[in-house]
Amino acid sequence: MVMFRYLKPSAAWVTEWWKNSSQASSVWRLTRLYTSLLLLVVGILLVVLYQLSVGQISRNQNAQMNHLALQQKLLAEELNQTDFIRQFELQAGSSRQYILSLITTDNMYGQLNSVPKNIGICPETARFPVWLDKYDEIRLISGCSQSIEAGVLVIATDDESLYDLQRQFISASLIALLLALLLGITTGLIFSHRVLKRINTFNSIAQRVEGGEMTARVPVSSKADEYDHMALHINTMLSRLEDSFHAIAGVTDAIAHDLRTPLGHLRQQIEQGLIDAHKSGSDTQNLEQMLNKLDAILFTFKAMLELTRLEQKQQSSSFKVIDLQVIINDAADLILPIIEDNQQYLTVNDKAGCMVTGDATLLFRAVYNLLENASKYAGKHAQINVEISGHGFIISDSGPGIPDNEKDKVFQRLYRVEESRSIAGFGIGLPLVRAIIRLHDAQISLQDNHPGLKVVVNFNTAE
């Protein structure tokens, strides 16, 4: 029994949205990669520049303080304490770059009044605040302490200018990284869009060829870049594949055409033998079996020749706007007795008619072949569903289905899945269906129904 019920509106826009979202995701992924590499390069350059400028100044400054501390330590060992203190006061008073102080057990010499807390031991330096008379303010200076025979030596330097230079360098580096980020995102988007546009062109042509459109070719630009060289090689390969395909199809059609005449004569002789056997009352079972098998072979040859005409779009049909719902209902009504004999169940889910431009006879044949295949291979007690939408239809069953690695191969003429070879057939039905669907500029795909097979057909529906 055929049942009809309403379905939810189609969500075909979700597919287009997902396609655009996937492309946008690829663009952003390449942009992020390009921007990350650009930021990494700029960051490395900034680190190197810092080490060669600010870092080098800081290292030189620390090295000079360590050298001065070592010099004073050697002088303290060679001179007596009175002479050492005298030369130290002269050097501390004349030094403009460094602040020198000596703390003995009973006195303090130099420019500091006390030993800073948490000061490091040379060569490790630390920053600490002091009052500097020449600036008339508290300044942060860097220095270290060194124990000598006369007491504790403190050597420091005013590095405010160095820290100002560091802050300016960091600010300039942040601005440079921000500009690199903006430049990376902008150029990355442009670069990624152009690259993916070319790659998507290759993918689109590959999908069209995979779908059987052997005349599809990759467009070649005037840039003569690597993509154009690749396109030329791919087009050459596709041309050779197309020639091979036409050669194989031509041989097949020639064999089918040449054998139709002698097989037709053989059929006439078998029919005459049946007539003579009926008149004489002889057993006609063997002749009838031979005639049935011969009819199946002739039907296959006819279908192969028709398949070639459809693939080459030589079918002289007058296309017009038709209601796909009517065609599907007629095909369901015709296939229903076979489905009931196989103890199967057919459900047609229909929300609204689907108006398409095409040939009603060819479309009826395609729908009927799909329903017949579903009934033939799904097995007993299988559920067969037909869903009609505003852009096409879906025929699904609960049978064993088709393995993923076989889904494209079953559209090849005379190809049959190994598990189905025990069922009568010649491997022409699905290729013929696909040729009819493509003749109407529609798309057909095979998907898993979990369990079973789902055949999805989408049309460019008429307004």
Side-chain angles (χ1 to χ4, degrees):
M1 180 178 181
V2 183
M3 298 174 289
F4 300 90
R5 63 182 176 86
Y6 288 97
L7 294 173
K8 294 182 179 180
S10 168
W13 62 271
V14 175
T15 303
E16 186 66 23
W17 173 84
W18 176 254
K19 180 180 179 181
N20 295 334
S21 299
S22 300
Q23 183 174 353
S25 177
S26 300
V27 170
W28 275 111
R29 185 166 57 252
L30 288 177
T31 301
R32 288 196 302 268
L33 177 61
Y34 172 78
T35 305
S36 300
L37 291 176
L38 180 61
L39 289 176
L40 178 62
V41 172
V42 173
I44 293 175
L45 291 177
L46 290 174
V47 171
V48 172
L49 182 60
Y50 177 85
Q51 294 298 327
L52 293 177
S53 57
V54 180
Q56 186 62 37
I57 295 174
S58 178
R59 289 190 295 272
N60 291 338
Q61 181 175 276
N62 292 336
Q64 290 177 4
M65 285 194 297
N66 292 328
H67 177 73
L68 186 59
L70 180 61
Q71 182 187 50
Q72 293 299 318
K73 182 178 180 180
L74 293 175
L75 287 174
E77 294 174 353
E78 294 178 359
L79 301 175
N80 57 47
Q81 185 171 352
T82 303
D83 292 338
F84 175 76
I85 292 175
R86 185 182 301 113
Q87 70 83 27
F88 178 81
E89 287 181 330
L90 290 175
Q91 187 169 356
S94 61
S95 178
R96 297 181 179 180
Q97 181 179 0
Y98 296 101
I99 300 171
L100 302 176
S101 293
L102 177 64
I103 298 95
T104 62
T105 55
D106 54 358
N107 203 352
M108 178 170 287
Y109 305 93
Q111 298 164 299
L112 297 180
N113 298 324
S114 62
V115 179
K117 295 180 180 180
N118 301 324
I119 188 171
I121 299 176
C122 297
E124 298 295 331
T125 61
R127 299 197 78 197
F128 51 88
V130 297
W131 176 271
L132 295 181
D133 294 334
K134 64 178 180 178
Y135 295 108
D136 195 26
E137 64 179 8
I138 296 176
R139 305 270 290 193
L140 286 173
I141 63 176
S142 294
C144 62
S145 64
Q146 178 70 51
S147 296
I148 59 176
E149 293 183 0
V152 177
L153 177 67
V154 176
I155 302 175
T157 183
D158 181 11
D159 58 356
E160 282 289 337
S161 59
L162 179 61
Y163 274 83
D164 289 340
L165 181 61
Q166 287 178 340
R167 286 192 293 267
Q168 292 174 4
F169 188 92
I170 292 174
S171 299
S173 298
L174 292 177
I175 295 175
L177 289 174
L178 179 60
L179 292 177
L181 177 63
L182 296 176
L183 178 64
I185 292 176
T186 303
T187 56
L189 286 174
I190 296 174
F191 173 76
S192 301
H193 178 73
R194 290 182 177 179
V195 171
L196 287 177
K197 184 178 180 181
R198 300 293 296 273
I199 294 177
N200 288 335
T201 301
F202 284 88
N203 290 334
S204 176
I205 298 301
Q207 290 175 353
R208 290 167 58 186
V209 173
E210 183 181 1
E213 188 178 346
M214 301 300 297
T215 58
R217 295 294 182 271
V218 180
V220 181
S221 67
S222 58
K223 299 178 181 178
D225 55 10
E226 290 78 5
Y227 291 103
D228 292 322
H229 291 303
M230 187 188 303
L232 290 173
H233 291 304
I234 291 176
N235 289 340
T236 302
M237 178 186 66
L238 291 177
S239 297
R240 293 180 179 178
L241 287 176
E242 184 182 10
D243 293 340
S244 300
F245 175 79
H246 288 317
I248 294 173
V251 171
T252 305
D253 293 340
I255 294 174
H257 186 271
D258 292 341
L259 289 179
R260 284 179 65 188
T261 300
L263 289 176
H265 293 161
L266 180 60
R267 189 182 190 284
Q268 292 177 358
Q269 294 175 6
I270 294 176
E271 286 182 337
Q272 185 60 46
L274 280 173
I275 295 174
D276 296 339
H278 281 298
K279 290 181 179 179
S280 63
S282 302
D283 184 14
T284 60
Q285 182 178 0
N286 290 334
L287 291 175
E288 289 176 351
Q289 291 179 353
M290 292 172 59
L291 186 62
N292 291 333
K293 293 180 179 179
L294 186 59
D295 285 339
I297 295 174
L298 289 172
F299 174 81
T300 301
F301 286 165
K302 180 181 178 182
M304 290 172 60
L305 294 175
E306 184 179 5
L307 176 59
T308 300
R309 289 195 298 269
L310 290 172
E311 288 176 340
Q312 298 176 355
K313 295 189 177 182
Q314 297 177 355
Q315 185 72 22
S316 58
S317 302
S318 178
F319 281 19
K320 61 181 179 180
V321 177
I322 55 179
D323 190 350
L324 191 61
Q325 173 187 347
V326 176
I327 294 176
I328 292 178
N329 290 339
D330 291 342
D333 290 337
L334 185 61
I335 198 70
L336 187 58
I338 299 178
I339 290 179
E340 291 177 345
D341 290 341
N342 293 335
Q343 300 178 16
Q344 298 166 337
Y345 307 95
L346 175 63
T347 303
V348 178
N349 301 325
D350 177 24
K351 176 179 176 57
C354 177
M355 307 304 296
V356 299
T357 301
D359 185 284
T361 302
L362 290 177
L363 290 176
F364 176 87
R365 183 173 182 181
V367 174
Y368 184 85
N369 280 1
L370 291 175
L371 291 173
E372 186 180 32
N373 274 1
S375 176
K376 182 187 298 184
Y377 299 108
K380 289 187 176 182
H381 309 293
Q383 177 67 46
I384 301 174
N385 297 321
V386 182
E387 299 182 6
I388 307 174
S389 64
H391 56 85
F393 63 90
I394 299 175
I395 297 178
S396 57
D397 62 68
S398 58
I402 298 177
D404 291 337
N405 60 342
E406 303 277 0
K407 284 186 172 64
D408 291 330
K409 297 179 181 179
V410 294
F411 286 116
Q412 301 173 7
R413 59 173 67 189
L414 303 179
Y415 183 87
R416 302 194 69 197
V417 179
E418 189 65 31
E419 291 78 3
S420 65
R421 292 188 179 275
S422 59
I423 302 175
F426 293 94
I428 294 295
L430 282 178
L432 193 61
V433 169
R434 186 175 67 168
I436 294 174
I437 298 300
R438 286 182 176 172
L439 183 64
H440 292 78
D441 293 326
Q443 300 82 37
I444 181 172
S445 61
L446 303 182
Q447 302 175 9
D448 288 329
N449 195 38
H450 305 292
L453 181 68
K454 181 187 297 183
V455 183
V456 181
V457 178
N458 292 319
F459 288 86
N460 297 321
T461 53
E463 298 295 337

